[in-house]
Amino acid sequence: MLYQHHNMESANSSMNTDKLVIIDGSAMLYRAYYGLRPLTTSKGTPIQAVLGFCKALKKLIREQKPSHMAVAWDMGHSGRSEIHAEYKSTREERPCDLTEQQMNIKKFATAIKLKQLECAGYEADDIIGTVVRNTKSFAKEIIIVTPDKDLRQLVGGNVIVVDPISVKRYDEETCLEKYGFPTSKIRFYHALLGDTSDNIPGVKGIGKKTAQELVTNFENLDDLYANLQKVVKPRTKMLLEEGKEKAYLSYELFGLKEVAVDTDLDSLKFDEDDWKGAYPLFEELEFKSLLPTGILKAKAQKIVDRSWKLSIVKTVDELKNLEGRLANINLYAFDTELDMCSEHHASFAGFSIAFNDSESFFVPVPDSTETVAHGNINLEAAIEFMGRLFSSTEKAVIMHNAKFDMFVLRRLGVEVLSKLEDTLLIAHLLRKDSLSIGLKALSSRVLGEDMHDFEEVIGGYGSFRAVPIEESAAYGAHDALQTFKLFKVLDAELKKIPRLQAVYDDMELPLCKTLLDMEYKGITLDPTKLYAVEKAVDKKREIVRAKLMGAIEEVDPGGSVDLNLNSPRQVEVLLFDVLKLPHVKKSGTGKRSTSHDVLESLCHLHPIPSLMVEHRELAKLKSTYLTPLPEAVNPQTNRIHTNFSQIHVATGRLSSNNPNLQNIPVSGEFGLGVRGAFVAPEGKMFVAADYSQIELRVLAHITKDQSLISAFVNDRDVHIQTAAQIF
């Protein structure tokens, strides 16, 4: 055994080990990557896998309190592919941005002095097996952190497997209860059953129940084949005879190889205090949630101490002086501040203005709860000032996400008549890839200057108004200052592309104002109509569920599957292990997918997938429309005010959110009932207008294809004409 011979001093010192935790790094990496939506830093570095990994490890350390810890990585092609070319061949290709993220995870592990183990040509499973075998006599408890069932063959005595996904612990007793036989026979079991996730064949035709019976009745694979005449069922015996080669191949594939890695316990020691070594990396990757308050405050102070002048306008006289300075200024940046991050409900807390690179003004608008430190400019005085400012058609005002600020201003009765510039829209037109175009991200990426997030500022204060005036003013004024500075850079870039400038001037800015009108007006919803639909949907769901459970009872009378319809894993077992339906594709984590399109493709093979599709559609109808839509009605206007975005869809189409009003169902048993809950004002009616075949018409315009143009000019069916030309 490699590295098994510890010297006496090392062995004695290790006898006091409380707990060794070994992490399947590759499994945790993929889990983190697919478990979060794609995320990047303000500079465009992909980070969701890194963030997910760091958070998972922090939780693991908090719960397990390891004295020793290591992470094992897969490295290169495994030797298993040489003996079975199909091994793991169904796995999806590694995402292109995952390698960079794994490098940052390895930097993180190095920073916290977490031992990393890898060896070319070996999998993490092999490394973990080697560590367990070589440390089992010295550690009091060994915890293997992995969702991989292969490693349960190591469970026994002081060795436990923890599945980080289901949060289940597998010790000897748990495994015996699950499998019905000791963990020493798990390799034997999977030699017969195989493993679809790794494309290990097993014996064709041998299912879970038969494999369990065989493993219970025979000692090992050799014993089974030496006593094949003792197998009672003729068909099972025939399958075993035909699949003998595959059984031994699977047995070899499932085995854990010995690896030349350092398993000395002294090298695996872990100190939780070393976590602070990762703080510089957390700052670089913008993981604010993983940084302590002290570092965040120091960073905040650094931002406040930048070389620009903060002017807090607290009195009416100071506001008049600011108005005087603005008299001869034709271009300035403006930003509103609310008590909370909601243009619909939050109270107006102030505004900021900047018209050069070195100074920014913040005008707090206190309410009755705030102190004299916030000044005496009441809401009426602020509204009058802004009304006069925005009435000038000679001036141009720059905002970042102008629609938001103009919505707030309209609530106050202030309309923006000045020429409008929006750095968010310009950044959207200039954007490459999926880089963030939020103000903070742009400031960091374009100007190289960090800014606060709103959540950072309110921190433990609870609301913007509760933040000390110097801090809240610095935050608000900085928004206007950076917007002004960004405009100069972005506008210069936009002017280099005249056609893009025309899109901005003639399409995006006018559209922004139209969308503001639509959002502000809102749409009326009759909740009572939705409640009636919801009641009918609930009744139908119960009927479908009863049918589904009845169908499951027929195929699984013993109830071996404890089915939770919301559990992809349990649905996966039912469909592919119990019903033996063909698995169509893999999920992002390598599991057999149970997505909607997969279920639909299986409907013609068995009634259970069809019932599942129906149950899911009813559940989605309730969770997407019936429950949230009434909650979205603004009590002040009795209307729904969705947010229309012109920047979030790569194709240039509009998106609707909070709530999404673009996909209200129109068909199906309950679709018209949902759509019918939206009501037009008395004497009015809704009109649905759709531009027929808009994409093909645009294509005809761009390509100047005479056949397409002729079809549209003469109002012919394009598809029939195309088919006629082809055939």
Side-chain angles (χ1 to χ4, degrees):
M1 302 288 281
L2 296 167
Y3 292 95
Q4 192 171 17
H5 303 289
H6 300 268
N7 61 49
M8 186 60 67
E9 182 181 352
S10 175
N12 289 338
S13 66
S14 300
M15 289 300 289
N16 295 321
T17 301
D18 291 324
K19 187 179 292 184
L20 166 62
V21 170
I22 315 168
I23 301 160
D24 183 344
S26 299
M28 188 179 282
L29 169 69
Y30 276 89
R31 172 67 177 168
Y33 182 84
Y34 289 108
L36 295 174
R37 63 180 176 83
L39 295 172
T40 63
T41 65
S42 58
K43 294 179 174 64
T45 303
I47 54 170
Q48 81 268 19
V50 193
L51 179 61
F53 192 99
C54 293
K55 285 188 171 183
L57 191 63
K58 184 177 182 180
K59 181 174 182 286
L60 181 67
I61 294 168
R62 184 176 67 247
E63 292 174 350
Q64 298 294 343
K65 300 290 183 186
S67 59
H68 294 66
M69 188 160 62
V71 58
W73 299 107
D74 293 334
M75 189 175 179
H77 291 288
S78 166
R80 292 172 177 83
S81 301
E82 296 174 7
I83 61 174
H84 182 51
E86 301 301 312
Y87 180 70
K88 292 189 176 181
S89 62
T90 53
R91 295 280 178 96
E92 293 182 1
E93 286 189 21
R94 184 182 177 94
C96 58
D97 63 335
L98 193 57
T99 299
E100 180 182 359
Q101 298 202 52
Q102 185 176 12
M103 289 174 60
N104 275 321
I105 290 173
K106 288 184 172 182
K107 284 182 186 177
F108 157 70
T110 301
I112 65 171
K113 300 179 182 177
L114 170 62
K115 182 74 171 182
Q116 300 182 76
L117 302 171
E118 58 186 355
C119 186
Y122 291 91
E123 298 182 19
D125 291 6
D126 298 318
I127 294 169
I128 292 170
T130 301
V131 173
V132 169
R133 287 190 292 268
N134 293 350
T135 61
K136 192 171 182 179
S137 302
F138 304 101
K140 288 183 180 178
E141 185 179 20
I142 298 176
I143 306 289
I144 303 170
V145 181
T146 180
D148 198 337
K149 54 184 173 290
D150 304 24
L151 289 169
R152 292 175 197 165
Q153 61 186 290
L154 296 170
V155 169
N158 60 342
V159 181
I160 297 168
V161 166
V162 173
D163 185 336
I165 299 173
S166 65
V167 202
K168 287 185 178 178
R169 288 170 60 94
Y170 291 93
D171 55 20
E172 280 184 285
E173 185 178 344
T174 310
C175 286
L176 185 60
E177 183 180 333
K178 177 178 177 61
Y179 294 103
F181 50 78
T183 54
S184 59
K185 288 189 171 186
I186 287 179
R187 184 179 176 187
F188 174 22
Y189 172 69
H190 281 288
L192 300 174
L193 185 65
D195 182 5
T196 53
S197 65
D198 287 344
N199 220 29
I200 297 176
V203 177
K204 187 176 181 180
I206 297 291
K208 185 177 179 182
K209 187 177 180 181
T210 303
Q212 197 170 26
E213 289 175 358
L214 291 169
V215 171
T216 304
N217 294 328
F218 295 90
E219 287 301 314
N220 51 48
L221 198 60
D222 289 337
D223 181 41
L224 170 62
Y225 276 101
N227 297 282
L228 210 54
Q229 73 279 3
K230 294 182 180 180
V231 176
V232 177
K233 297 178 181 178
R235 184 175 181 276
T236 301
K237 187 185 298 183
M238 179 194 71
L239 291 172
L240 288 169
E241 288 172 344
E242 293 176 351
K244 182 176 180 179
E245 185 180 340
K246 291 289 175 65
Y248 276 96
L249 171 65
S250 301
Y251 188 80
E252 185 176 358
L253 292 172
F254 227 84
L256 300 175
K257 301 179 181 180
E258 194 72 22
V259 186
V261 291
D262 184 5
T263 60
D264 187 278
L265 272 174
D266 283 344
S267 71
L268 306 181
K269 284 181 179 177
F270 179 76
D271 188 343
E272 190 175 349
D273 288 341
D274 288 328
W275 182 268
K276 61 181 178 293
Y279 291 161
L281 182 64
F282 291 166
E283 286 191 80
E284 178 188 335
L285 298 179
E286 301 169 11
F287 293 168
K288 293 167 185 171
S289 62
L290 293 176
L291 287 169
T293 306
I295 289 180
L296 290 174
K297 285 185 176 179
K299 186 179 178 184
Q301 189 59 43
K302 182 180 177 183
I303 294 174
V304 171
D305 290 342
R306 284 187 177 276
S307 57
W308 54 276
K309 181 182 178 183
L310 166 64
S311 297
I312 307 177
V313 180
K314 296 183 179 181
T315 67
V316 174
D317 286 341
E318 289 172 346
L319 190 60
K320 288 179 180 178
N321 290 336
L322 174 59
E323 190 169 5
R325 291 190 63 179
L326 284 166
N328 298 317
I329 299 295
N330 291 324
L331 179 68
Y332 63 94
F334 177 89
D335 184 63
T336 58
E337 293 302 337
L338 304 179
D339 190 34
M340 296 180 295
C341 200
S342 168
E343 70 268 47
H344 298 286
H345 309 293
S347 65
F348 187 69
F351 60 91
S352 53
I353 289 175
F355 45 82
N356 59 51
D357 290 357
S358 58
E359 184 179 17
S360 188
F361 298 83
F362 182 72
V363 183
V365 180
D367 66 6
S368 58
T369 66
E370 290 173 307
T371 66
V372 68
H374 292 79
N376 61 7
I377 299 174
N378 59 30
L379 183 59
E380 289 73 18
I383 290 173
E384 289 176 7
F385 169 86
M386 292 185 293
R388 292 192 297 272
L389 182 65
F390 293 127
S391 66
S392 172
T393 56
E394 302 299 318
K395 296 181 183 296
V397 57
I398 313 161
M399 300 179 187
H400 191 83
N401 192 9
K403 181 160 62 68
F404 179 96
D405 291 303
M406 289 194 296
F407 191 104
V408 172
L409 292 169
R410 185 171 289 186
R411 274 182 56 202
L412 300 174
V414 177
E415 291 295 327
V416 178
L417 303 178
S418 305
K419 183 180 184 306
L420 183 67
E421 303 284 3
D422 190 338
T423 45
L424 181 70
L425 294 181
I426 300 175
H428 167 62
L429 291 172
L430 295 171
R431 172 161 50 179
K432 296 177 181 178
D433 301 319
S434 58
L435 295 175
S436 171
I437 53 172
L439 179 61
K440 278 65 177 174
L442 285 171
S443 177
S444 177
R445 189 169 68 246
V446 177
L447 302 177
E449 298 171 3
D450 292 333
M451 298 180 69
H452 286 321
D453 287 331
F454 186 78
E455 292 76 12
E456 284 179 353
V457 174
I458 63 174
Y461 296 108
S463 70
F464 189 78
R465 288 193 182 280
V467 179
I469 185 61
E470 289 291 333
E471 294 179 33
S472 61
Y475 169 80
H478 204 193
D479 278 358
L481 180 69
Q482 299 307 96
T483 300
F484 184 83
K485 291 164 73 173
L486 273 170
F487 176 73
K488 292 192 297 181
V489 177
L490 298 178
D491 183 57
E493 289 297 312
L494 187 66
K495 282 182 167 57
K496 294 177 184 177
I497 315 171
R499 292 180 67 180
L500 211 55
Q501 178 77 56
V503 171
Y504 172 69
D505 291 333
D506 302 335
M507 186 181 299
E508 298 293 357
L509 279 176
L511 176 60
C512 171
K513 296 174 182 177
T514 300
L515 295 179
L516 168 67
D517 293 339
M518 293 167 61
E519 288 182 19
Y520 195 82
K521 183 72 174 177
I523 188 169
T524 304
L525 179 86
D526 184 348
T528 59
K529 292 186 177 182
L530 275 191
Y531 296 147
V533 177
E534 184 175 21
K535 189 175 180 180
V537 166
D538 287 340
K539 186 176 180 180
K540 183 66 178 288
R541 280 180 72 193
E542 288 304 313
I543 294 171
V544 173
R545 182 178 176 82
K547 287 182 181 178
L548 181 55
M549 292 307 170
I552 292 171
E553 178 63 27
E554 287 182 15
V555 298
D556 187 32
S560 62
V561 179
D562 180 19
L563 183 65
N564 175 358
L565 292 174
N566 295 320
S567 167
R569 174 59 182 156
Q570 291 180 21
V571 171
E572 176 192 356
V573 170
L574 173 66
L575 294 177
F576 307 119
D577 295 335
V578 177
L579 297 180
K580 303 295 184 185
L581 295 174
H583 57 273
V584 180
K585 66 178 183 180
K586 298 278 186 170
S587 67
T589 55
K591 303 293 184 183
R592 294 166 293 182
S593 175
T594 60
S595 62
H596 182 80
D597 59 323
V598 168
L599 288 178
E600 285 196 321
S601 70
L602 299 174
C603 286
H604 68 287
L605 298 175
H606 200 280
I608 284 179
S610 180
L611 289 167
M612 283 185 170
V613 167
E614 189 174 6
H615 190 273
R616 282 189 183 181
E617 287 177 345
L618 291 169
K620 183 179 180 181
L621 190 67
K622 179 166 181 172
S623 64
T624 307
Y625 304 109
L626 302 178
T627 300
L629 283 178
E631 294 173 353
V633 175
N634 187 320
Q636 296 172 339
T637 64
N638 289 319
R639 285 172 169 256
I640 290 179
H641 302 271
T642 186
N643 176 267
F644 290 109
S645 174
Q646 62 202 99
I647 67 168
H648 283 110
V649 181
T651 60
R653 292 190 177 197
L654 286 179
S655 68
S656 165
N657 59 77
N658 294 327
N660 182 357
L661 297 183
Q662 286 185 315
N663 296 314
I664 304 299
V666 67
S667 59
E669 185 179 353
F670 303 104
L672 283 176
V674 176
R675 188 161 288 224
F678 291 90
V679 294
E682 190 174 349
K684 305 282 186 181
M685 64 185 298
F686 287 129
V687 175
D690 186 16
Y691 203 128
S692 172
Q693 299 176 328
I694 180 65
E695 288 88 354
L696 286 175
R697 292 175 190 270
V698 170
L699 185 67
H701 171 76
I702 293 173
T703 63
K704 310 300 182 188
D705 184 274
Q706 292 304 310
S707 180
L708 273 178
I709 292 172
S710 173
F712 288 124
V713 168
N714 296 295
D715 199 24
R716 292 197 297 269
D717 187 300
V718 174
H719 301 293
I720 291 176
Q721 176 173 302
T722 304
Q725 289 173 334
I726 292 173
F727 296 108

